[in-house]
Amino acid sequence: AQTVTQSQPEMSVQEAETVTLSCTYDTSESDYYLFWYKQPPSRQMILVIRQEAYKQQNATENRFSVNFQKAAKSFSLKISDSQLGDAAMYFCAYRARPNNAGNMLTFGGGTRLMVKP
Amino acid sequence: DAGVIQSPRHEVTEMGQEVTLRCKPISGHDYLFWYRQTMMRGLELLIYFNNNVPIDDSGMPEDRFSAKMPNASFSTLKIQPSEPRDSAVYFCASSFRGLAGGHEQYFGPGTRLTVT
């Protein structure tokens, strides 16, 4: 079974600074997707960024980028120029490439990010 | 598109009562998921549907929980009878198996259920 681990329950960053959130996962699959979701106090789960395992290039979305290390099964999220609105819970999630085995997301336990003005 | 719609946003009920949570997925999406979020257990997948058919319900905690998807635009999650330990935020999500196979799941705003 796949597992996703986020070892940092809480992180804090100064506004305008850069912060990196860690995520590791365990799988025997060779092809899969990894995601970061943001959950602000409103509870809405918002997709931040997606990475396909077969792509060597790290995904980037504006101030958000990932460091995907497939051999190490590591998938960290870097937030540059942190803003107050980035304060939220961040969840790392894994999904095997869709096939007959299913289409389920496995989530990590989350990291609460606080942004200091 | 309006996104995934869930109702109600908040539900407070007494132990033993029946609770029905509702979800309208994004139009055109062929997968629908029900999740539960608690402090103790985090986000758990309860059940998911593909083309209105339940594919995996292994996450449903017990027989008190049931889910249906009578058509492509509507799903319900029912708890009967409800218990205080069912208190949680319940999320519905939907996705589409397009050619790119991306399958991003888009989440609704959640229903906060409190059972007293």
Side-chain angles (χ1 to χ4, degrees):
Chain A
Q2 294 83 9
T3 58
V4 179
T5 303
Q6 294 178 248
S7 59
Q8 306 152 316
E10 283 190 357
M11 293 281 286
S12 66
V13 62
Q14 202 72 33
E15 194 176 6
E17 297 294 312
T18 296
V19 65
T20 299
L21 308 184
S22 301
C23 172
T24 58
Y25 57 95
D26 186 28
T27 183
S28 58
E29 303 286 337
S30 60
D31 197 9
Y32 46 86
Y33 293 96
L34 295 163
F35 305 86
W36 279 97
Y37 280 87
K38 171 185 177 182
Q39 187 179 38
S42 66
R43 297 199 314 260
Q44 181 79 47
M45 294 286 286
I46 302 165
L47 178 65
V48 174
I49 200 165
R50 177 185 88 165
Q51 175 79 43
E52 291 97 329
Y54 67 88
K55 289 187 177 180
Q56 293 185 341
Q57 186 174 5
N58 289 323
T60 299
E61 287 288 343
N62 301 314
R63 297 182 296 108
F64 298 86
S65 61
V66 299
N67 183 7
F68 173 48
Q69 301 290 327
K70 191 173 184 179
K73 296 181 182 176
S74 170
F75 182 61
S76 60
L77 175 69
K78 185 172 81 171
I79 306 174
S80 303
D81 185 26
S82 297
Q83 300 175 359
L84 294 178
D86 295 333
M89 283 289 288
Y90 286 82
F91 292 93
C92 178
Y94 164 98
R95 195 192 72 232
R97 192 168 183 84
N99 53 29
N100 291 335
N103 187 29
M104 298 178 289
L105 278 176
T106 301
F107 285 91
T111 296
R112 181 174 302 281
L113 178 66
M114 294 172 284
V115 180
K116 300 176 183 177
Chain B
D1 199 315
V4 177
I5 299 172
Q6 289 186 249
S7 64
R9 292 295 305 277
H10 299 88
E11 177 78 36
V12 180
T13 191
E14 293 184 348
M15 183 174 62
Q17 296 298 306
E18 177 182 302
V19 175
T20 299
L21 311 182
R22 296 172 177 81
C23 175
K24 176 179 170 55
I26 293 173
S27 177
H29 282 193
D30 54 353
Y31 284 86
L32 184 139
F33 306 81
W34 282 101
Y35 290 90
R36 179 172 68 176
Q37 185 179 34
T38 61
M39 289 292 292
M40 293 296 295
R41 301 174 67 90
L43 272 158
E44 305 173 276
L45 177 68
L46 300 177
I47 185 172
Y48 81 93
F49 296 82
N50 178 216
N51 292 324
N52 314 337
V53 176
I55 302 301
D56 188 333
D57 65 354
S58 59
M60 296 286 262
E62 47 197 275
D63 292 345
R64 297 184 298 107
F65 285 70
S66 62
K68 294 182 180 180
M69 192 166 185
N71 57 62
S73 59
F74 184 65
S75 177
T76 59
L77 178 68
K78 184 179 293 185
I79 308 172
Q80 180 184 22
S82 58
E83 297 183 3
R85 60 193 168 117
D86 301 331
S87 298
V89 179
Y90 290 82
F91 287 100
C92 176
S94 70
S95 70
F96 171 63
R97 184 171 184 167
L99 292 176
H103 283 253
E104 284 91 349
Q105 292 185 20
Y106 295 88
F107 284 73
T111 295
R112 180 177 292 281
L113 173 65
T114 303
V115 183
T116 60

